[in-house]
Amino acid sequence: MSEPKHHANRPEHALPAGDRASLGILAIFIIFVVAVPKNNLPAVIAYGAFTLFVITASRLSLRLIMKRLLVISPFVLFMAAGNLYFDRQPIFDTWNFAVTGGMISAGVIAAKSFVTISALLVYSHSVPFHRFGNALRAFGVPELFATQLQLVYRYSFMLGDEARSLQKARDLRSFGHKGKDIRATAQLIGSLLVRSSLRAEKIYMAMSARGFGNNLALQQKEPFTKRDAITVLLTTWYFLAVRIVFIP
């Protein structure tokens, strides 16, 4: 059981603050972006500039973030397209083309989604998941939830390995489109769940035999330094300034 290459060989880029401070900034940032009114696109663009700054400071690949956004873009655009139908009142005309309120609100919804998801992607690519779990514990999240979240993430790769093994076995035993119908796929999913459950039970028994006590918090909580506090205050002031300037 091993993590995929794009996770295992991924460089750990450090954010400009500690893990707990970075998680707090992320939560505050998402709250400010979500609170932007549905017709205020300049404010969303100003918040997006902060995400671009963090990508540059973390030395992340902008192409990688764009590729991930491209994957989820159909869902975001489909979600925003409903406003085109429900709000068709013209707001202004440009070059003999009427711009409706639905067009503006749909653009704002799509922009807010892309900005917040970009921030989540930056955080997930900058902070390893075990450090994210430690940051949750530092914020007082129950140990049971944090441990469960870390285990689900770690052994989701095991589920992927089992799925690839079953798919390879099905492809070797099928010709053309035979064996790839809905009924066969449903049986394959059921077999995947059974095999994953059995393997997970064996792994848990092995972990218990080696002293696992339902607690993954082996490291001490990271102290909240003055540098972290200054970073959180400065970014919060920036978010407030954007809201004051762009949102009357």
Side-chain angles (χ1 to χ4, degrees):
M1 178 185 60
S2 60
E3 298 185 7
K5 292 182 179 180
H6 64 276
H7 286 277
N9 298 330
R10 182 179 64 189
E12 296 183 5
H13 302 280
L15 287 173
D19 298 336
R20 182 164 44 172
S22 301
L23 183 58
I25 293 172
L26 175 65
I28 296 172
F29 177 76
I30 292 176
I31 292 173
F32 272 94
V33 175
V34 171
V36 173
K38 66 178 182 179
N39 57 353
N40 198 323
L41 185 59
V44 181
I45 296 175
Y47 284 124
F50 174 77
T51 305
L52 186 61
F53 166 76
V54 176
I55 292 175
T56 304
S58 303
R59 300 191 300 275
L60 286 173
S61 172
L62 184 59
R63 180 180 298 179
L64 175 64
I65 303 297
M66 296 300 295
K67 287 174 62 176
R68 298 294 175 88
L69 290 177
L70 188 62
V71 173
I72 63 174
S73 60
F75 304 98
V76 174
L77 296 177
F78 179 78
M79 176 183 64
N83 285 43
L84 300 176
Y85 175 78
F86 291 109
D87 188 0
R88 290 180 284 183
Q89 172 132 16
I91 303 297
F92 60 89
D93 294 335
T94 175
W95 293 305
N96 295 326
F97 179 77
V99 178
T100 65
M103 294 178 183
I104 298 176
S105 59
V108 172
I109 290 174
K112 288 164 69 173
S113 301
F114 287 131
V115 168
T116 53
I117 294 172
S118 297
L120 290 171
L121 289 174
V122 170
Y123 186 85
S124 65
H125 282 82
S126 302
V127 179
F129 203 83
H130 69 277
R131 286 167 51 187
F132 169 68
N134 293 334
L136 289 178
R137 293 183 182 92
F139 275 109
V141 174
E143 175 60 35
L144 180 62
F145 177 80
T147 300
Q148 187 72 18
L149 194 62
Q150 287 181 292
L151 289 176
V152 168
Y153 172 79
R154 182 64 184 90
Y155 292 108
S156 63
F157 301 108
M158 180 193 71
L159 183 64
D161 291 340
E162 292 288 348
R164 283 188 289 270
S165 298
L166 289 175
Q167 183 180 7
K168 184 176 181 180
R170 183 189 66 174
D171 293 340
L172 292 174
R173 291 169 174 80
S174 60
F175 301 93
H177 295 286
K178 294 183 179 180
K180 297 183 179 180
D181 54 356
I182 296 179
R183 183 177 179 180
T185 302
Q187 294 176 351
L188 194 68
I189 294 175
S191 177
L192 173 64
L193 293 176
V194 172
R195 291 180 59 177
S196 299
S197 299
L198 293 175
R199 188 171 177 183
E201 185 176 356
K202 293 179 180 178
I203 291 175
Y204 178 74
M205 293 174 62
M207 292 170 62
S208 299
R210 289 165 173 80
F212 175 66
N214 300 327
N215 188 342
L216 292 178
L218 301 179
Q219 299 178 353
Q220 294 182 352
K221 293 182 179 179
E222 179 186 2
F224 196 79
T225 63
K226 291 183 179 180
R227 178 182 177 184
D228 295 336
I230 293 174
T231 304
V232 173
L233 287 176
L234 290 176
T235 52
T236 304
W237 286 342
Y238 170 76
F239 301 152
L240 284 172
V242 170
R243 183 169 182 86
I244 293 173
V245 172
F246 291 94
I247 303 177

